Amino acid sequence: MKELLLGLRLLLGSGRGNRVRFLLMTVGSAIGVCCLAVVLAIPGILSAQDARKASREPDCSNGLGGCASAEGRGMALTRVDPYGTAPLTRIFVALEGEPIDPPPGLHELPSPGEVFVSPRLHEILKSDPGLTRLLPGRESGLISAAGLAHPDELYAYIGASPEELKGGGHMAEFGVRHTRFPTVEPSTLDILRFTMAGVVLLPLAVFLSVCARLSAASRMRRLAALRLLGLSRRGMQRVNGAETVAAAFMGAVLGLGSYWALNEMVSRVGLPGFKWYPEDGLLSGETLVACLVVCPTLAWFVSLIGARKAAANPLAVRRSAMEKAPRPWGLLPLLPGLGIVIGYCAVGAMGNVPTDTGLSSILMPLAVVLVGVGLVLSLPVFSRAIARRVARSTGSLSLGLAMRRNEVEPGGALRVATGLVLLVFAASLTQGVLIELDQVSKNTSPTQLYTMALDDIPEEKLSALTDLLGIRSHVIQTRSWADVEQLDRPPSISAVIATCDQLRRVATRLEGCVEGHPARLMVPGGTYDEASKPGSRFPFHLRNTMGQPRVMEVQVPQSTVLYDDDTAVAMVGSGTVLIPPSLVPTGFLPEGGATLSLASSSAPGTVSSVLEGIAGVDPTIEVETAGVNVTGLQQISVIKTLLAVGMVLGLIIGVAAYLVAATDRAVERKSQVTALALLGARPRTLRAVQVAQVVLPLGVGLLLAVVTGKMAESSYLVTGGGAVFWDGAGVPLLLASALGVVVVAALGALPLVGRRIDPELIRRD
């Protein structure tokens, strides 16, 4: 306890310069803890949003599997449609008996003809009246925050009668264990965790270590003096730890306060594609303890490591003896990490994509951590080796002085350059993650398809759907009948009921089509359906509006039509039989899995207009928009926003680490710079020395970061299983960023040599 009090007394009574350094340590720790709190709060925000989603979902909807009850007192039907890039969720509810407790956010369930909407949807309805066709009924109230995932969510409850929800499922209550539409899928969340670990947490650990090692040289000399005066080794470590832990703890408290203010401010403004309630961003007790314990604990261990030299050989510290050369043990983490990365790159180059995703999910994060740690530990080794070689061969005084200083003190390069080196490494890794996310299926074709089950569409509404404004064509797709209960199931074929003109409006290639004549559609490059043999006959089951069945025999024709289209999902396969509508009995339509496909332009405005038109015909129709996974796109938007947050945090950490370390190094180097100035060195020479001292280790580290970062990025893309393995387009941007970092570091080193010489700086302690 006496040693701890002694450390605090030395902190407060050792001059203004030491108090300034203590303040710098505190501010640096506050920045680090604030960044750590942001990273730790993200899972809590996502979990809170998913919990509210689960609590409001009907326990059975769409009549699909997973129903909590085969029978219930109500019915529910869920529809999720794209509105721009955001999902619009509509819950149709109807009561058949006793009342059901309303979901969170509502005081009561809507009656038939009533609609409850979210506040954001309420605002959009004012500017887009056409959206009311998706929400049949009068607006009767708003959904409160308890029933919404985030403030900008588009959500609505629509009252209906049981007869209107024939395709719905029986509902007993609201609330399920796990939501069907999580904010971020678990697999995608693993990508986020992986990236945050490389982009934020690894540089953050280095940054906190740098903050804990500020004014290391002067503190080691002071500790050596205490050791020579008889203080025990353990007592000396406590004295050193008292100052470091005090700064780290005060910084942790200040950082948590900064995070609270940041959460209150940013949550009300929101981020692009991601918004949350301030309560969701509040840190849990475990997170608070982690922030208040991790930072001081890390500072304590760093202080123990830093005090070893003063404890082992205090005379060498007091006399400023030459440091020992860094041992090559720092290369150990780098070698296995590069081995994993190179192995995946080689496998990808040979075309053997790894299929064991479980193993890759362990090896890839491990490789990233090993390479990142290896970059940090190997930087002094490479810097000293290069500095020694350059110092022997150069004839420049400035370069020679700079290289000799880096040779004698390679640890100085570690503190100054590490943050920026890890920043470039993390930027390359983030590029790979963004490339993988961009490969998610989305409609980039000029044609948009809307697919609906034909059995759910009454015949009187069919013509209204096909005549909607914006629809350029429509076709009916079906399959021949086959008895699924037979052990030896007979083959079946696909067929499309359309005219040549209807196909021509969708196809990019249509050759040999004759109106009124059946044909086989041949898709270039497509796999041919072996069951579609010319001359074979297949039955198609039909039904009219009166429910009367009929069987139509179709013979596979000899003639063929070359067909191709540019839809996101191929509309027909090779071997599909084209049946002219004139051959179908009047008043009859296919049954049993047949679908109606509408085609329009893929322009966002046209897509919204068509969906509103379909809802105007029947708001309960389930529409599949081929190539547009709106919930998936929203997840991608959230992940990209969070990755941008991670990159901003990484940039803050990297720049802060450089500024803190460079400022501290300038203070420690003042006495040496003053001595050189008194010996006759010109200010221009001293500035050149300072720039070279920073640029060389930083340049070496950035070169390693670019090379290892691109290799890590490529191996990540290989394990992701996407179509892109090698990101050549990102290399110029990465090199430009590295060059910019070097220029900024060089400019930052220039003011460290002042014009005024103070001989007091070189007096003996």
Side-chain angles (χ1 to χ4, degrees):
M1 189 64 183
K2 293 181 180 180
E3 292 85 355
L4 296 176
L5 294 176
L6 175 61
L8 294 177
R9 290 182 63 185
L10 289 174
L11 168 65
L12 299 175
S14 54
R16 185 180 64 180
N18 196 66
R19 288 194 292 271
V20 171
R21 282 191 290 265
F22 176 79
L23 178 62
L24 196 61
M25 292 171 62
T26 302
V27 173
S29 299
I31 294 174
V33 170
C34 184
C35 294
L36 178 63
V38 171
V39 174
L40 296 179
I42 290 174
I45 294 174
L46 299 178
S47 177
Q49 292 185 354
D50 289 345
R52 286 197 296 273
K53 286 183 177 182
S55 66
R56 72 191 181 188
E57 285 188 18
D59 60 352
C60 181
S61 58
N62 290 333
L64 302 178
C67 300
S69 173
E71 296 182 358
R73 294 170 292 174
M75 298 185 70
L77 186 67
T78 302
R79 292 288 181 256
V80 181
D81 302 295
Y83 185 78
T85 58
L88 168 59
T89 305
R90 299 174 294 151
I91 307 294
F92 292 86
V93 293
L95 295 181
E96 294 181 312
E98 299 178 4
I100 297 176
D101 292 335
L106 293 183
H107 295 295
E108 60 180 356
L109 285 175
S111 301
E114 292 184 336
V115 179
F116 290 95
V117 298
S118 62
R120 178 59 179 164
L121 186 55
H122 171 75
E123 296 297 325
I124 292 178
L125 285 171
K126 296 179 180 178
S127 58
D128 188 2
L131 195 60
T132 55
R133 288 183 288 181
L134 291 169
L135 309 168
R138 65 183 183 281
E139 185 179 321
S140 302
L142 299 179
I143 306 171
S144 67
L148 298 174
H150 55 84
D152 282 350
E153 188 174 23
L154 305 181
Y155 209 85
Y157 292 95
I158 303 171
S161 63
E163 293 75 17
E164 295 175 310
L165 302 185
K166 294 180 180 179
H170 289 281
M171 175 185 61
E173 61 182 0
F174 287 92
V176 294
R177 179 174 297 181
H178 301 291
T179 176
R180 291 189 299 151
F181 308 105
T183 305
V184 177
E185 291 285 350
S187 58
T188 312
L189 190 58
D190 291 338
I191 297 176
L192 179 64
R193 293 192 184 103
F194 164 74
T195 310
M196 284 295 184
V199 175
V200 180
L201 295 183
L202 184 59
L204 180 60
V206 175
F207 174 58
L208 293 176
S209 300
V210 168
C211 292
R213 287 280 291 158
L214 290 180
S215 63
S218 60
R219 280 197 286 165
M220 289 307 101
R221 291 175 60 83
R222 188 175 62 203
L223 292 174
L226 293 175
R227 178 73 172 130
L228 292 173
L229 290 174
L231 190 64
S232 66
R233 177 176 299 189
R234 185 168 301 228
M236 187 197 66
Q237 292 174 341
R238 290 172 181 165
V239 170
N240 186 40
E243 178 182 1
T244 306
V245 172
F249 184 78
M250 291 181 62
V253 175
L254 182 61
L256 291 175
S258 302
Y259 168 78
W260 178 84
L262 187 67
N263 175 61
E264 291 291 327
M265 178 180 64
V266 177
S267 62
R268 285 171 168 77
V269 178
L271 298 173
F274 185 53
K275 201 169 184 180
W276 67 97
Y277 291 106
E279 297 79 12
D280 295 343
L282 295 179
L283 299 177
S284 63
E286 295 81 0
T287 304
L288 290 173
V289 171
C291 292
L292 292 174
V293 171
V294 169
C295 185
T297 302
L298 178 62
W300 174 263
F301 282 108
V302 172
S303 68
L304 293 182
I305 297 173
R308 287 186 305 179
K309 185 177 178 181
N313 197 349
L315 283 176
V317 174
R318 289 298 300 174
R319 294 173 180 174
S320 300
M322 181 180 294
E323 294 184 9
K324 293 182 179 179
R327 297 180 179 181
W329 299 110
L331 299 175
L332 284 181
L334 187 62
L335 296 179
L338 285 178
I340 297 174
V341 167
I342 293 174
Y344 275 125
C345 289
V347 169
M350 292 185 296
N352 299 320
V353 181
T355 56
D356 189 353
T357 56
L359 181 62
S360 299
S361 64
I362 297 175
L363 289 181
M364 270 311 302
L366 178 62
V368 170
V369 173
L370 288 175
V371 172
V373 173
L375 283 176
V376 175
L377 299 180
S378 62
L379 189 56
V381 179
F382 290 121
S383 177
R384 184 181 185 277
I386 295 176
R388 189 174 185 179
R389 182 177 296 272
V390 173
R392 288 177 178 177
S393 59
T394 185
S396 169
L397 174 62
S398 302
L399 189 58
L401 286 175
M403 295 304 99
R404 289 302 181 187
R405 169 50 57 185
N406 283 345
E407 180 184 357
V408 172
E409 189 190 2
L414 175 67
R415 286 187 291 157
V416 175
T418 299
L420 298 177
V421 168
L422 287 179
L423 177 61
V424 173
F425 174 73
S428 179
L429 191 63
T430 306
Q431 279 185 347
V433 176
L434 292 176
I435 289 173
E436 185 187 34
L437 294 178
D438 282 337
Q439 296 182 66
V440 174
S441 175
K442 55 184 178 181
N443 190 10
T444 57
S445 69
T447 303
Q448 176 63 57
L449 285 182
Y450 312 84
T451 304
M452 294 153 277
L454 194 60
D455 291 342
D456 296 338
I457 305 174
E459 186 177 359
E460 63 271 12
K461 296 182 179 181
L462 186 60
S463 59
L465 290 173
T466 57
D467 294 338
L468 287 174
L469 183 64
I471 296 299
R472 64 171 64 159
S473 181
H474 68 277
V475 299
I476 294 177
Q477 296 171 276
T478 184
R479 290 194 67 87
S480 62
W481 179 84
D483 190 355
V484 295
E485 296 182 357
Q486 291 185 14
L487 295 179
D488 186 12
R489 182 176 178 178
S492 64
I493 60 170
S494 299
V496 56
I497 302 175
T499 64
C500 292
D501 183 59
Q502 289 173 338
L503 286 183
R504 192 171 290 110
R505 295 176 185 177
V506 181
T508 56
R509 181 182 183 184
L510 188 68
E511 299 177 4
C513 190
V514 180
E515 288 288 1
H517 293 271
R520 285 176 295 131
L521 298 178
M522 306 296 290
V523 181
T527 302
Y528 186 80
D529 185 2
E530 296 297 333
S532 183
K533 299 177 181 179
S536 302
R537 303 184 69 88
F538 294 89
F540 286 82
H541 282 205
L542 310 176
R543 189 175 297 274
N544 63 8
T545 56
M546 304 299 294
Q548 297 174 342
R550 186 168 178 176
V551 177
M552 180 180 66
E553 290 281 343
V554 174
Q555 182 177 354
V556 179
Q558 293 284 347
S559 60
T560 60
V561 172
L562 291 180
Y563 172 88
D564 198 6
D565 62 46
D566 55 8
T567 56
V569 180
M571 189 171 65
V572 298
S574 191
T576 300
V577 176
L578 171 63
I579 302 176
S582 58
L583 298 184
V584 180
T586 304
F588 285 84
L589 291 173
E591 67 172 355
T595 59
L596 171 67
S597 294
L598 308 178
S600 76
S601 166
S602 61
T606 304
V607 174
S608 298
S609 176
V610 170
L611 289 174
E612 291 173 0
I614 294 174
V617 176
D618 188 343
T620 64
I621 293 179
E622 183 173 13
V623 183
E624 180 182 349
T625 50
V628 179
N629 182 359
V630 65
T631 56
L633 292 178
Q634 187 192 37
Q635 292 187 33
I636 299 302
S637 176
V638 171
I639 290 295
K640 287 184 175 181
T641 299
L642 295 179
L643 287 179
V645 171
M647 285 302 298
V648 171
L649 294 179
L651 178 63
I652 293 173
I653 292 169
V655 173
Y658 169 74
L659 294 176
V660 168
T663 303
D664 179 63
R665 191 167 183 265
V667 173
E668 288 189 347
R669 292 274 293 129
K670 270 190 175 183
S671 60
Q672 299 169 359
V673 172
T674 302
L676 291 173
L678 290 175
L679 290 174
R682 294 180 298 176
R684 181 182 300 176
T685 302
L686 294 177
R687 290 191 178 94
V689 171
Q690 289 289 81
V691 171
Q693 281 182 298
V694 173
V695 167
L696 176 75
L698 184 59
V700 173
L702 291 177
L703 181 61
L704 288 173
V706 171
V707 174
T708 58
K710 294 307 296 182
M711 293 172 62
E713 175 192 354
S714 298
S715 61
Y716 175 80
L717 291 174
V718 169
T719 58
V724 178
F725 287 174
W726 320 110
D727 175 29
V731 174
L733 177 62
L734 203 61
L735 292 177
S737 302
L739 181 61
V741 167
V742 172
V743 172
V744 171
L747 294 176
L750 292 177
L752 301 183
V753 178
R755 297 181 179 180
R756 179 173 169 269
I757 299 176
D758 186 5
E760 182 69 13
L761 293 172
I762 60 174
R763 70 178 179 84
R764 297 186 63 84
D765 290 344

